[in-house]
Amino acid sequence: MQITIDGKRCEASPGQTVLAVARAHGFYVPTLCYHAKTGKAGKCRACVAEIAGMRGLQTTCTVEVKDGMVVRLDSEKVRKAQRLVVDLLLSSGRHDCLSCEKNGECELQAAAYYLGVKKPSFAVANDEAAKFDDTSRFVVRDDAKCIKCGRCVAGCKNTVCNDVLDFGFRSGRTKVICDHDQPMGASTCVQCGECVQLCPVGALVDKKAVGQGRVWDLAKVNTTCPYCGVGCQVTMHVDRPRNRIVKVTGRECAPNEGMLCVKGRYGYDFPSHPERLKYPMIKRDGVHVRVSWDEALDYTADRIRTIVGQHGPDVFSAFGSGRITNENNYALAKFTRAVIHTNNIDHCART
Ligand code: SF4
Ligand code: SF4
Ligand code: SF4
């Protein structure tokens, strides 16, 4: 089917939203509550458009296309409504972009930029009561920047199924709470960081990354999480001059679709740890001495051969690991059973 957006004929498929078609054809549509993973929300009303035959402005993230639909995105009425949404959100929080951790990748900041909202035109809210919660080991919450989009709530509830976050209180006092309004560090949060990844603004940020580098200064390196056999896809945000990983985010593709566990997201200190093992060593006279791989492998093979020869194959046992590939675990099992002739093989994931 085809629809028309600002006079341009656009190919569309049944079930697609107007937002999806508009973006696929290069139109700018600001969104704050919509996220592909948390789905249609229709809360923030930043994505509105005029649609012929429909009363008032429609949220493009919720309206599905119909053949022949005529959509206006770039009208003064639409832009005025979008500017008002952004203006009200900027006015109702403490948006000190200069020092905000999200500066440069904030969706509210981007919407203000593209819509030409230079500063809040309403009296800025008194945010004295807004809580700053840094009780969690890995996540910092700043209520004064929260725009109540609900992406964190939907992510925690529906995507990772932890159900820690929800909206509490009512009206102007509405806020995101952990469990029964506990500090995050005292709640049932498992610190997976999914809510941080979904938050469009600086209301939820990774604690370890605070002050460690601006988004535009960090190199982005796509790789596979080193921890287990699931093989989650991650992006490392690297401070190249200091050769340090500053932050890890999940890539929104198979198998993890952006989700990570606490180890994958926050356990990234080991590559640059001063005590990290970087080469093989053999203990001689009580001291570990650096050797070549050939020497280390020859020494190990010789010791196994000698000990098994003296005491029989059952003195040998091997332990596989979830941190290596299936193929490596298979080779280890084959070596243990077919070469050493013992069934003493186990795996850390079995217990
Ligand atoms: S959350 Fe966004 S708009 Fe608010 S201070 Fe941070 S960067 Fe600026
Ligand atoms: S870190 Fe994970 S478990 Fe904790 S609140 Fe966020 S999404 Fe929920
Ligand atoms: S904390 Fe972030 S994701 Fe959650 S409601 Fe507030 S702005 Fe949205």
Side-chain angles (χ1 to χ4, degrees):
M1 69 169 79
Q2 284 196 331
I3 69 169
T4 305
I5 304 177
D6 289 344
K8 180 179 174 184
R9 307 280 287 167
C10 303
E11 290 298 326
S13 310
Q16 270 189 304
T17 61
V18 175
L19 174 69
V21 176
R23 286 193 166 162
H25 288 82
F27 290 93
Y28 171 67
V29 189
T31 50
L32 294 168
C33 66
Y34 172 81
H35 189 283
K37 276 171 78 178
T38 50
K40 302 172 183 176
K43 285 184 195 153
C44 74
R45 299 197 64 79
C47 70
V48 289
E50 292 182 80
I51 299 178
M54 298 174 96
R55 286 180 58 196
L57 295 173
Q58 302 296 318
T59 47
T60 57
C61 69
T62 58
V63 175
E64 292 188 4
V65 289
K66 288 203 177 80
D67 196 22
M69 193 177 245
V70 178
V71 179
R72 284 289 314 273
L73 276 173
D74 201 18
S75 72
E76 188 44 38
K77 189 175 175 185
V78 168
R79 295 305 184 209
K80 196 174 160 193
Q82 291 173 334
R83 280 188 209 106
L84 180 63
V85 167
V86 171
D87 196 346
L88 284 167
L89 289 172
L90 285 173
S91 304
S92 60
R94 186 183 58 242
H95 292 285
D96 44 0
C97 299
L98 288 182
S99 58
C100 182
E101 200 53 38
K102 201 78 174 183
N103 188 8
E105 55 180 354
C106 169
E107 293 173 43
L108 179 61
Q109 191 186 53
Y113 176 82
Y114 285 113
L115 295 169
V117 181
K118 299 200 186 314
K119 59 178 181 181
S121 50
F122 299 92
V124 174
N126 175 357
D127 57 26
E128 291 304 308
K131 273 199 213 147
F132 184 83
D133 179 359
D134 66 352
T135 56
S136 159
R137 185 160 171 208
F138 295 116
V139 179
V140 179
R141 298 179 65 213
D142 187 352
D143 263 358
K145 291 189 172 69
C146 175
I147 59 170
K148 321 286 191 286
C149 68
R151 276 160 49 166
C152 58
V153 175
C156 189
K157 197 185 293 285
N158 305 329
T159 313
V160 291
C161 300
N162 286 331
D163 216 355
V164 177
L165 303 175
D166 210 337
F167 283 109
F169 304 92
R170 287 292 175 268
S171 188
R173 293 177 61 226
T174 303
K175 63 174 185 171
V176 175
I177 55 170
C178 297
D179 294 336
H180 300 287
D181 201 18
Q182 260 94 12
M184 196 174 213
S187 73
T188 53
C189 168
V190 298
Q191 310 189 70
C192 66
E194 175 77 355
C195 55
V196 178
Q197 185 153 334
L198 289 171
C199 183
V201 294
L204 289 166
V205 297
D206 291 323
K207 192 183 239 181
K208 286 172 73 174
V210 172
Q212 295 304 306
R214 282 312 205 182
V215 59
W216 51 84
D217 288 330
L218 302 176
K220 291 177 180 53
V221 182
N222 291 336
T223 184
T224 302
C225 173
Y227 276 109
C228 82
V230 173
C232 290
Q233 295 302 294
V234 297
T235 300
M236 304 280 179
H237 302 252
V238 182
D239 178 347
R240 287 229 196 262
R242 288 193 293 162
N243 197 25
R244 281 190 51 214
I245 299 167
V246 165
K247 181 166 89 167
V248 173
T249 49
R251 292 175 64 205
E252 278 161 21
C253 59
N256 50 313
E257 300 299 340
M259 285 180 278
L260 294 172
C261 71
V262 64
K263 286 191 300 180
R265 196 180 294 278
Y266 298 118
Y268 51 77
D269 297 324
F270 69 90
S272 50
H273 197 282
E275 289 177 13
R276 181 181 174 184
L277 277 179
K278 294 179 181 156
Y279 37 77
M281 290 188 281
I282 293 176
K283 199 171 186 180
R284 289 185 181 134
D285 300 326
V287 179
H288 284 105
V289 182
R290 180 174 178 170
V291 295
S292 68
W293 276 107
D294 280 348
E295 191 179 349
L297 290 170
D298 285 348
Y299 174 85
T300 307
D302 189 52
R303 293 293 295 145
I304 290 173
R305 200 180 294 114
T306 304
I307 294 168
V308 169
Q310 284 173 353
H311 304 285
D314 282 340
V315 296
F316 181 95
S317 60
F319 292 90
S321 167
R323 296 188 187 188
I324 57 176
T325 62
N326 284 344
E327 289 79 2
N328 284 338
N329 277 316
Y330 176 82
L332 183 65
K334 201 78 178 164
F335 173 78
T336 306
R337 293 196 167 104
V339 177
I340 305 290
H341 299 295
T342 178
N343 290 319
N344 291 340
I345 171 101
D346 212 330
H347 188 285
C348 66
R350 200 175 65 87
T351 50

